[in-house]
Amino acid sequence: MMQYECKIKVRYYETDQMGVVHHSNFIRYIECGRTDMMEHYGFPVEQLESSGIMLPVVAIEGKYKMSAKLGDILRVVTKIDKVPLAKIVFKNEVYNQNGDLLFIGQVSLGFVDMKTHCPVRCPEEMAKAIEKELNKQ
Amino acid sequence: MMQYECKIKVRYYETDQMGVVHHSNFIRYIECGRTDMMEHYGFPVEQLESSGIMLPVVAIEGKYKMSAKLGDILRVVTKIDKVPLAKIVFKNEVYNQNGDLLFIGQVSLGFVDMKTHCPVRCPEEMAKAIEKELNKQ
Amino acid sequence: MMQYECKIKVRYYETDQMGVVHHSNFIRYIECGRTDMMEHYGFPVEQLESSGIMLPVVAIEGKYKMSAKLGDILRVVTKIDKVPLAKIVFKNEVYNQNGDLLFIGQVSLGFVDMKTHCPVRCPEEMAKAIEKELNKQ
Amino acid sequence: MMQYECKIKVRYYETDQMGVVHHSNFIRYIECGRTDMMEHYGFPVEQLESSGIMLPVVAIEGKYKMSAKLGDILRVVTKIDKVPLAKIVFKNEVYNQNGDLLFIGQVSLGFVDMKTHCPVRCPEEMAKAIEKELNKQ
């Protein structure tokens, strides 16, 4: 298991009239989680895109366990447990500062050539880095 | 099957640097779909909330089939196929103006008392209206 | 004065924990207003961009007079009162369904060449269309 | 002059199809700036709201000097230079990691009683804390 964590502070505009963070923002928080993870491990999205590969989301699922509130500092956990081929799957958990699990879910993204819009395989360098990381543990 | 459709025009700020609508906005589009559906059938969210009941999202899942672009006018289809008890499930499909299926998914929401934060049953009037609608067809 | 109006229905996710539409969404509503206006008069943003010209915002100002709520259907008024040269200025007013003025403001955008990132003049065809419209009245 | 700084990393979903951060997000970034500043100085928005006072935006203005891109880490500077009475004014500058000024603007917010929706004065404790801070320098 390859795991990465980042902290996200709830922003005022992310709340809704129920007085809690609007559910759609968790979909955005976990994007921050995987973007940071990819950067941390040496394959930032910017670099992937400038090499001509996009990484659109193909599937998403999540369960909301508890709400987040203004003032909360969320811990976004992002995991990869398989070497990516044509797709990469990120698993996520979001906790608040008290350790309560707020959200659990996963997102699948596909590697796509920017010009042809055809699916491609995960760049070898990225796949190897992930494989190496997974073997470490 | 109870079904409702609305049209949503893609907004500039909803696009991202891939040049298409950011995936998180589909989660928001289908919220528009169910909000409009509820209003259409006589139980708008505002009324539910002013009666002391919130309807937070408890689970979400979706598959992204094709991307949406600026200029697209999306057709958001929202369906209910079961009388709600403690939860209500909305099934969604989003199509573009050419009839291409872009997104398919579903969202579960729970009825919650605003004061106690405890789950409650779907208000009887709303459950009956849905039951009546489902029996029509 | 060249004037265009469109209707925007408040979306749930646009509200915040004050129970009203978050102020940043008015900045987005007026973008919808000018995008629709440009499309209506035959120079949609998509076309401008595909001809190699971007239209980034360079200045914005607005006053918030009253809040918008879920259920509101807003009337976004967008005006142009001058033929654009290097910049185009849109003036906006946003009203609710009762005719109350909620927001008044204006946005300046600059014409920029996508490749060189240098300022350019408003495309002649667009400038002429606006001039013709302004002379009509 | 009372001044506070925070860092904000650009998020993927904040970019638009021009390939840069959508202008409306700067309005949100400076909200983060003032929210953090208020928390830092001991009068967090949550506390203000739970004491029955809201702080809606009444006016906003800004100039966009340069665009922000994915990967940028922005420095949001927030300043107060006057003891608030019925309104509080925050002045903002946003810089990127290279020290380039991207945005300069200011926001006025009004103190409003949550129940009566009438304007009220800035809570004394908050006004005093700001006055003390301004006298320090």
Side-chain angles (χ1 to χ4, degrees), chain C residues 96-135:
Chain C
N96 65 14
Q97 63 282 353
N98 304 322
D100 301 314
L101 176 64
L102 308 186
F103 176 87
I104 180 165
Q106 70 170 52
V107 184
S108 306
L109 302 100
F111 295 91
V112 172
D113 184 292
M114 269 187 190
K115 279 181 202 149
T116 63
H117 284 90
C118 289
V120 292
R121 290 187 59 138
C122 174
E124 209 179 322
E125 200 183 0
M126 181 173 165
K128 280 198 175 155
I130 293 172
E131 192 174 12
K132 195 177 144 194
E133 223 30 68
L134 289 175
N135 286 337

mmCIF file of all heavy atoms in Angstrom, chain C residues 96-135:
data_model
loop_
_atom_site.group_PDB
_atom_site.id
_atom_site.type_symbol
_atom_site.label_atom_id
_atom_site.label_comp_id
_atom_site.label_asym_id
_atom_site.label_seq_id
_atom_site.Cartn_x
_atom_site.Cartn_y
_atom_site.Cartn_z
ATOM 1 N N ASN C 96 -33.773 39.995 -8.239
ATOM 2 C CA ASN C 96 -34.516 38.759 -7.963
ATOM 3 C C ASN C 96 -35.904 38.830 -8.614
ATOM 4 O O ASN C 96 -36.218 39.804 -9.302
ATOM 5 C CB ASN C 96 -34.592 38.464 -6.454
ATOM 6 C CG ASN C 96 -35.385 39.496 -5.695
ATOM 7 O OD1 ASN C 96 -36.110 40.307 -6.273
ATOM 8 N ND2 ASN C 96 -35.256 39.480 -4.378
ATOM 9 N N GLN C 97 -36.722 37.806 -8.389
ATOM 10 C CA GLN C 97 -38.030 37.717 -9.044
ATOM 11 C C GLN C 97 -39.013 38.789 -8.566
ATOM 12 O O GLN C 97 -40.058 39.009 -9.179
ATOM 13 C CB GLN C 97 -38.616 36.310 -8.876
ATOM 14 C CG GLN C 97 -38.907 35.870 -7.452
ATOM 15 C CD GLN C 97 -37.646 35.429 -6.696
ATOM 16 O OE1 GLN C 97 -36.559 35.324 -7.273
ATOM 17 N NE2 GLN C 97 -37.785 35.172 -5.421
ATOM 18 N N ASN C 98 -38.660 39.453 -7.446
ATOM 19 C CA ASN C 98 -39.531 40.534 -6.966
ATOM 20 C C ASN C 98 -39.093 41.886 -7.485
ATOM 21 O O ASN C 98 -39.673 42.917 -7.121
ATOM 22 C CB ASN C 98 -39.512 40.571 -5.429
ATOM 23 C CG ASN C 98 -39.911 39.245 -4.840
ATOM 24 O OD1 ASN C 98 -40.803 38.575 -5.355
ATOM 25 N ND2 ASN C 98 -39.238 38.835 -3.780
ATOM 26 N N GLY C 99 -38.038 41.898 -8.287
ATOM 27 C CA GLY C 99 -37.569 43.160 -8.838
ATOM 28 C C GLY C 99 -36.565 43.883 -7.948
ATOM 29 O O GLY C 99 -36.132 44.985 -8.257
ATOM 30 N N ASP C 100 -36.197 43.251 -6.827
ATOM 31 C CA ASP C 100 -35.192 43.865 -5.950
ATOM 32 C C ASP C 100 -33.814 43.797 -6.602
ATOM 33 O O ASP C 100 -33.416 42.746 -7.118
ATOM 34 C CB ASP C 100 -35.113 43.103 -4.615
ATOM 35 C CG ASP C 100 -36.436 43.078 -3.880
ATOM 36 O OD1 ASP C 100 -37.067 44.148 -3.788
ATOM 37 O OD2 ASP C 100 -36.843 41.999 -3.413
ATOM 38 N N LEU C 101 -33.095 44.892 -6.538
ATOM 39 C CA LEU C 101 -31.715 44.923 -7.022
ATOM 40 C C LEU C 101 -30.816 44.265 -5.980
ATOM 41 O O LEU C 101 -30.749 44.717 -4.832
ATOM 42 C CB LEU C 101 -31.264 46.371 -7.259
ATOM 43 C CG LEU C 101 -29.798 46.556 -7.676
ATOM 44 C CD1 LEU C 101 -29.513 45.909 -9.019
ATOM 45 C CD2 LEU C 101 -29.440 48.049 -7.718
ATOM 46 N N LEU C 102 -30.124 43.187 -6.374
ATOM 47 C CA LEU C 102 -29.263 42.476 -5.438
ATOM 48 C C LEU C 102 -27.802 42.875 -5.599
ATOM 49 O O LEU C 102 -27.053 42.957 -4.629
ATOM 50 C CB LEU C 102 -29.373 40.959 -5.659
ATOM 51 C CG LEU C 102 -30.768 40.334 -5.674
ATOM 52 C CD1 LEU C 102 -30.649 38.814 -5.750
ATOM 53 C CD2 LEU C 102 -31.560 40.738 -4.452
ATOM 54 N N PHE C 103 -27.418 43.115 -6.840
ATOM 55 C CA PHE C 103 -25.992 43.332 -7.121
ATOM 56 C C PHE C 103 -25.855 44.278 -8.291
ATOM 57 O O PHE C 103 -26.623 44.208 -9.256
ATOM 58 C CB PHE C 103 -25.359 41.978 -7.486
ATOM 59 C CG PHE C 103 -23.913 42.064 -7.897
ATOM 60 C CD1 PHE C 103 -22.897 42.016 -6.949
ATOM 61 C CD2 PHE C 103 -23.560 42.179 -9.242
ATOM 62 C CE1 PHE C 103 -21.556 42.091 -7.336
ATOM 63 C CE2 PHE C 103 -22.223 42.248 -9.638
ATOM 64 C CZ PHE C 103 -21.223 42.211 -8.684
ATOM 65 N N ILE C 104 -24.895 45.169 -8.197
ATOM 66 C CA ILE C 104 -24.586 46.035 -9.328
ATOM 67 C C ILE C 104 -23.069 46.101 -9.449
ATOM 68 O O ILE C 104 -22.371 46.211 -8.450
ATOM 69 C CB ILE C 104 -25.223 47.439 -9.149
ATOM 70 C CG1 ILE C 104 -24.899 48.329 -10.341
ATOM 71 C CG2 ILE C 104 -24.799 48.111 -7.855
ATOM 72 C CD1 ILE C 104 -25.779 49.572 -10.411
ATOM 73 N N GLY C 105 -22.580 45.957 -10.671
ATOM 74 C CA GLY C 105 -21.130 45.939 -10.816
ATOM 75 C C GLY C 105 -20.693 46.032 -12.255
ATOM 76 O O GLY C 105 -21.527 46.199 -13.162
ATOM 77 N N GLN C 106 -19.395 45.954 -12.462
ATOM 78 C CA GLN C 106 -18.887 45.916 -13.829
ATOM 79 C C GLN C 106 -17.576 45.168 -13.923
ATOM 80 O O GLN C 106 -16.843 45.041 -12.937
ATOM 81 C CB GLN C 106 -18.763 47.320 -14.414
ATOM 82 C CG GLN C 106 -17.657 48.157 -13.806
ATOM 83 C CD GLN C 106 -17.466 49.442 -14.614
ATOM 84 O OE1 GLN C 106 -18.424 50.175 -14.867
ATOM 85 N NE2 GLN C 106 -16.238 49.721 -15.022
ATOM 86 N N VAL C 107 -17.348 44.629 -15.100
ATOM 87 C CA VAL C 107 -16.164 43.805 -15.337
ATOM 88 C C VAL C 107 -15.479 44.284 -16.613
ATOM 89 O O VAL C 107 -16.143 44.522 -17.620
ATOM 90 C CB VAL C 107 -16.567 42.324 -15.515
ATOM 91 C CG1 VAL C 107 -15.338 41.443 -15.675
ATOM 92 C CG2 VAL C 107 -17.395 41.847 -14.348
ATOM 93 N N SER C 108 -14.147 44.422 -16.560
ATOM 94 C CA SER C 108 -13.374 44.741 -17.762
ATOM 95 C C SER C 108 -12.564 43.518 -18.159
ATOM 96 O O SER C 108 -11.953 42.874 -17.304
ATOM 97 C CB SER C 108 -12.388 45.879 -17.497
ATOM 98 O OG SER C 108 -13.055 46.985 -16.981
ATOM 99 N N LEU C 109 -12.587 43.222 -19.449
ATOM 100 C CA LEU C 109 -11.816 42.086 -19.949
ATOM 101 C C LEU C 109 -10.909 42.584 -21.077
ATOM 102 O O LEU C 109 -11.266 43.509 -21.808
ATOM 103 C CB LEU C 109 -12.746 40.993 -20.475
ATOM 104 C CG LEU C 109 -13.760 40.441 -19.470
ATOM 105 C CD1 LEU C 109 -15.120 41.064 -19.685
ATOM 106 C CD2 LEU C 109 -13.851 38.928 -19.548
ATOM 107 N N GLY C 110 -9.750 41.948 -21.189
ATOM 108 C CA GLY C 110 -8.802 42.362 -22.217
ATOM 109 C C GLY C 110 -8.704 41.315 -23.311
ATOM 110 O O GLY C 110 -8.771 40.117 -23.037
ATOM 111 N N PHE C 111 -8.537 41.753 -24.539
ATOM 112 C CA PHE C 111 -8.320 40.818 -25.641
ATOM 113 C C PHE C 111 -6.829 40.467 -25.675
ATOM 114 O O PHE C 111 -5.980 41.366 -25.692
ATOM 115 C CB PHE C 111 -8.746 41.451 -26.969
ATOM 116 C CG PHE C 111 -10.219 41.733 -27.027
ATOM 117 C CD1 PHE C 111 -10.738 42.956 -26.621
ATOM 118 C CD2 PHE C 111 -11.100 40.742 -27.464
ATOM 119 C CE1 PHE C 111 -12.098 43.207 -26.662
ATOM 120 C CE2 PHE C 111 -12.469 40.986 -27.505
ATOM 121 C CZ PHE C 111 -12.964 42.219 -27.103
ATOM 122 N N VAL C 112 -6.552 39.165 -25.646
ATOM 123 C CA VAL C 112 -5.165 38.722 -25.549
ATOM 124 C C VAL C 112 -4.903 37.621 -26.576
ATOM 125 O O VAL C 112 -5.709 36.695 -26.712
ATOM 126 C CB VAL C 112 -4.864 38.188 -24.126
ATOM 127 C CG1 VAL C 112 -3.482 37.548 -24.055
ATOM 128 C CG2 VAL C 112 -4.973 39.306 -23.097
ATOM 129 N N ASP C 113 -3.792 37.724 -27.269
ATOM 130 C CA ASP C 113 -3.393 36.680 -28.206
ATOM 131 C C ASP C 113 -2.932 35.455 -27.424
ATOM 132 O O ASP C 113 -2.075 35.554 -26.547
ATOM 133 C CB ASP C 113 -2.255 37.203 -29.090
ATOM 134 C CG ASP C 113 -1.853 36.197 -30.152
ATOM 135 O OD1 ASP C 113 -1.290 35.126 -29.791
ATOM 136 O OD2 ASP C 113 -2.087 36.455 -31.338
ATOM 137 N N MET C 114 -3.525 34.297 -27.753
ATOM 138 C CA MET C 114 -3.232 33.082 -26.994
ATOM 139 C C MET C 114 -1.775 32.638 -27.083
ATOM 140 O O MET C 114 -1.247 32.050 -26.141
ATOM 141 C CB MET C 114 -4.074 31.925 -27.525
ATOM 142 C CG MET C 114 -5.380 31.795 -26.797
ATOM 143 S SD MET C 114 -6.189 30.291 -27.368
ATOM 144 C CE MET C 114 -7.793 30.521 -26.611
ATOM 145 N N LYS C 115 -1.163 32.865 -28.224
ATOM 146 C CA LYS C 115 0.224 32.402 -28.393
ATOM 147 C C LYS C 115 1.226 33.366 -27.780
ATOM 148 O O LYS C 115 2.095 32.975 -27.027
ATOM 149 C CB LYS C 115 0.516 32.176 -29.871
ATOM 150 C CG LYS C 115 -0.007 30.822 -30.330
ATOM 151 C CD LYS C 115 0.288 30.562 -31.795
ATOM 152 C CE LYS C 115 -0.669 29.522 -32.353
ATOM 153 N NZ LYS C 115 -0.942 29.728 -33.768
ATOM 154 N N THR C 116 1.095 34.641 -28.126
ATOM 155 C CA THR C 116 2.089 35.610 -27.660
ATOM 156 C C THR C 116 1.765 36.141 -26.265
ATOM 157 O O THR C 116 2.620 36.733 -25.619
ATOM 158 C CB THR C 116 2.129 36.828 -28.614
ATOM 159 O OG1 THR C 116 0.836 37.477 -28.561
ATOM 160 C CG2 THR C 116 2.376 36.392 -30.057
ATOM 161 N N HIS C 117 0.517 35.908 -25.816
ATOM 162 C CA HIS C 117 0.046 36.490 -24.558
ATOM 163 C C HIS C 117 0.099 38.014 -24.564
ATOM 164 O O HIS C 117 0.106 38.649 -23.503
ATOM 165 C CB HIS C 117 0.812 35.926 -23.351
ATOM 166 C CG HIS C 117 0.351 34.538 -23.005
ATOM 167 N ND1 HIS C 117 0.916 33.405 -23.542
ATOM 168 C CD2 HIS C 117 -0.660 34.111 -22.212
ATOM 169 C CE1 HIS C 117 0.286 32.346 -23.084
ATOM 170 N NE2 HIS C 117 -0.670 32.744 -22.284
ATOM 171 N N CYS C 118 0.150 38.613 -25.732
ATOM 172 C CA CYS C 118 0.142 40.071 -25.846
ATOM 173 C C CYS C 118 -1.285 40.572 -26.044
ATOM 174 O O CYS C 118 -2.112 39.876 -26.626
ATOM 175 C CB CYS C 118 0.973 40.519 -27.047
ATOM 176 S SG CYS C 118 2.720 40.278 -26.761
ATOM 177 N N PRO C 119 -1.537 41.791 -25.560
ATOM 178 C CA PRO C 119 -2.852 42.395 -25.785
ATOM 179 C C PRO C 119 -3.063 42.638 -27.278
ATOM 180 O O PRO C 119 -2.109 42.981 -27.985
ATOM 181 C CB PRO C 119 -2.779 43.742 -25.053
ATOM 182 C CG PRO C 119 -1.533 43.720 -24.248
ATOM 183 C CD PRO C 119 -0.631 42.671 -24.797
ATOM 184 N N VAL C 120 -4.284 42.424 -27.726
ATOM 185 C CA VAL C 120 -4.633 42.712 -29.113
ATOM 186 C C VAL C 120 -5.919 43.537 -29.120
ATOM 187 O O VAL C 120 -6.540 43.736 -28.077
ATOM 188 C CB VAL C 120 -4.842 41.413 -29.939
ATOM 189 C CG1 VAL C 120 -3.519 40.668 -30.125
ATOM 190 C CG2 VAL C 120 -5.874 40.506 -29.293
ATOM 191 N N ARG C 121 -6.300 43.997 -30.286
ATOM 192 C CA ARG C 121 -7.544 44.757 -30.367
ATOM 193 C C ARG C 121 -8.720 43.807 -30.509
ATOM 194 O O ARG C 121 -8.583 42.674 -30.972
ATOM 195 C CB ARG C 121 -7.504 45.686 -31.573
ATOM 196 C CG ARG C 121 -6.482 46.820 -31.329
ATOM 197 C CD ARG C 121 -6.552 47.832 -32.429
ATOM 198 N NE ARG C 121 -7.885 48.398 -32.522
ATOM 199 C CZ ARG C 121 -8.119 49.684 -32.715
ATOM 200 N NH1 ARG C 121 -7.104 50.528 -32.833
ATOM 201 N NH2 ARG C 121 -9.342 50.127 -32.827
ATOM 202 N N CYS C 122 -9.863 44.266 -30.127
ATOM 203 C CA CYS C 122 -11.104 43.509 -30.315
ATOM 204 C C CYS C 122 -11.228 43.143 -31.795
ATOM 205 O O CYS C 122 -11.024 44.008 -32.661
ATOM 206 C CB CYS C 122 -12.275 44.386 -29.884
ATOM 207 S SG CYS C 122 -13.878 43.653 -30.229
ATOM 208 N N PRO C 123 -11.540 41.888 -32.110
ATOM 209 C CA PRO C 123 -11.699 41.487 -33.508
ATOM 210 C C PRO C 123 -12.672 42.433 -34.225
ATOM 211 O O PRO C 123 -13.718 42.792 -33.664
ATOM 212 C CB PRO C 123 -12.293 40.084 -33.412
ATOM 213 C CG PRO C 123 -11.882 39.579 -32.083
ATOM 214 C CD PRO C 123 -11.806 40.778 -31.190
ATOM 215 N N GLU C 124 -12.316 42.821 -35.419
ATOM 216 C CA GLU C 124 -13.079 43.858 -36.134
ATOM 217 C C GLU C 124 -14.569 43.505 -36.281
ATOM 218 O O GLU C 124 -15.433 44.343 -36.067
ATOM 219 C CB GLU C 124 -12.459 44.080 -37.516
ATOM 220 C CG GLU C 124 -12.675 45.512 -38.010
ATOM 221 C CD GLU C 124 -12.039 45.741 -39.361
ATOM 222 O OE1 GLU C 124 -10.932 45.200 -39.601
ATOM 223 O OE2 GLU C 124 -12.676 46.439 -40.189
ATOM 224 N N GLU C 125 -14.822 42.268 -36.617
ATOM 225 C CA GLU C 125 -16.203 41.818 -36.820
ATOM 226 C C GLU C 125 -17.050 42.032 -35.558
ATOM 227 O O GLU C 125 -18.201 42.477 -35.628
ATOM 228 C CB GLU C 125 -16.166 40.324 -37.169
ATOM 229 C CG GLU C 125 -17.387 39.805 -37.863
ATOM 230 C CD GLU C 125 -17.250 38.287 -38.090
ATOM 231 O OE1 GLU C 125 -16.205 37.703 -37.684
ATOM 232 O OE2 GLU C 125 -18.180 37.701 -38.645
ATOM 233 N N MET C 126 -16.415 41.731 -34.421
ATOM 234 C CA MET C 126 -17.107 41.889 -33.138
ATOM 235 C C MET C 126 -17.307 43.366 -32.819
ATOM 236 O O MET C 126 -18.402 43.775 -32.391
ATOM 237 C CB MET C 126 -16.277 41.212 -32.051
ATOM 238 C CG MET C 126 -16.866 41.271 -30.663
ATOM 239 S SD MET C 126 -15.864 40.241 -29.506
ATOM 240 C CE MET C 126 -16.489 40.868 -27.934
ATOM 241 N N ALA C 127 -16.275 44.167 -33.020
ATOM 242 C CA ALA C 127 -16.364 45.607 -32.757
ATOM 243 C C ALA C 127 -17.458 46.235 -33.626
ATOM 244 O O ALA C 127 -18.257 47.052 -33.151
ATOM 245 C CB ALA C 127 -15.018 46.275 -33.016
ATOM 246 N N LYS C 128 -17.498 45.792 -34.884
ATOM 247 C CA LYS C 128 -18.508 46.358 -35.804
ATOM 248 C C LYS C 128 -19.919 45.967 -35.394
ATOM 249 O O LYS C 128 -20.846 46.779 -35.466
ATOM 250 C CB LYS C 128 -18.231 45.872 -37.234
ATOM 251 C CG LYS C 128 -17.120 46.686 -37.873
ATOM 252 C CD LYS C 128 -17.137 46.529 -39.387
ATOM 253 C CE LYS C 128 -16.088 47.460 -40.014
ATOM 254 N NZ LYS C 128 -15.642 46.950 -41.311
ATOM 255 N N ALA C 129 -20.088 44.711 -34.992
ATOM 256 C CA ALA C 129 -21.404 44.251 -34.562
ATOM 257 C C ALA C 129 -21.883 45.071 -33.365
ATOM 258 O O ALA C 129 -23.052 45.460 -33.286
ATOM 259 C CB ALA C 129 -21.357 42.765 -34.214
ATOM 260 N N ILE C 130 -20.967 45.350 -32.452
ATOM 261 C CA ILE C 130 -21.330 46.134 -31.266
ATOM 262 C C ILE C 130 -21.630 47.578 -31.655
ATOM 263 O O ILE C 130 -22.617 48.162 -31.201
ATOM 264 C CB ILE C 130 -20.200 46.058 -30.204
ATOM 265 C CG1 ILE C 130 -20.109 44.628 -29.652
ATOM 266 C CG2 ILE C 130 -20.438 47.056 -29.074
ATOM 267 C CD1 ILE C 130 -18.923 44.356 -28.749
ATOM 268 N N GLU C 131 -20.786 48.132 -32.523
ATOM 269 C CA GLU C 131 -21.002 49.518 -32.973
ATOM 270 C C GLU C 131 -22.377 49.666 -33.637
ATOM 271 O O GLU C 131 -23.126 50.608 -33.343
ATOM 272 C CB GLU C 131 -19.906 49.912 -33.961
ATOM 273 C CG GLU C 131 -19.899 51.402 -34.234
ATOM 274 C CD GLU C 131 -18.701 51.822 -35.101
ATOM 275 O OE1 GLU C 131 -18.030 50.918 -35.672
ATOM 276 O OE2 GLU C 131 -18.445 53.025 -35.194
ATOM 277 N N LYS C 132 -22.705 48.720 -34.489
ATOM 278 C CA LYS C 132 -23.988 48.739 -35.184
ATOM 279 C C LYS C 132 -25.142 48.695 -34.172
ATOM 280 O O LYS C 132 -26.113 49.445 -34.280
ATOM 281 C CB LYS C 132 -24.056 47.511 -36.110
ATOM 282 C CG LYS C 132 -25.142 47.567 -37.163
ATOM 283 C CD LYS C 132 -25.082 46.351 -38.083
ATOM 284 C CE LYS C 132 -26.479 45.919 -38.492
ATOM 285 N NZ LYS C 132 -26.484 44.570 -39.108
ATOM 286 N N GLU C 133 -25.002 47.825 -33.201
ATOM 287 C CA GLU C 133 -26.018 47.664 -32.164
ATOM 288 C C GLU C 133 -26.177 48.963 -31.369
ATOM 289 O O GLU C 133 -27.291 49.411 -31.099
ATOM 290 C CB GLU C 133 -25.565 46.532 -31.247
ATOM 291 C CG GLU C 133 -26.548 45.511 -30.775
ATOM 292 C CD GLU C 133 -27.712 45.191 -31.689
ATOM 293 O OE1 GLU C 133 -27.529 44.609 -32.782
ATOM 294 O OE2 GLU C 133 -28.835 45.534 -31.279
ATOM 295 N N LEU C 134 -25.043 49.582 -31.019
ATOM 296 C CA LEU C 134 -25.071 50.817 -30.218
ATOM 297 C C LEU C 134 -25.687 51.973 -31.000
ATOM 298 O O LEU C 134 -26.355 52.831 -30.433
ATOM 299 C CB LEU C 134 -23.655 51.195 -29.761
ATOM 300 C CG LEU C 134 -23.023 50.293 -28.693
ATOM 301 C CD1 LEU C 134 -21.579 50.695 -28.429
ATOM 302 C CD2 LEU C 134 -23.819 50.332 -27.391
ATOM 303 N N ASN C 135 -25.467 51.968 -32.315
ATOM 304 C CA ASN C 135 -26.011 53.041 -33.148
ATOM 305 C C ASN C 135 -27.515 52.924 -33.365
ATOM 306 O O ASN C 135 -28.189 53.918 -33.636
ATOM 307 C CB ASN C 135 -25.313 53.066 -34.512
ATOM 308 C CG ASN C 135 -23.912 53.630 -34.378
ATOM 309 O OD1 ASN C 135 -23.626 54.354 -33.423
ATOM 310 N ND2 ASN C 135 -23.044 53.274 -35.316
#
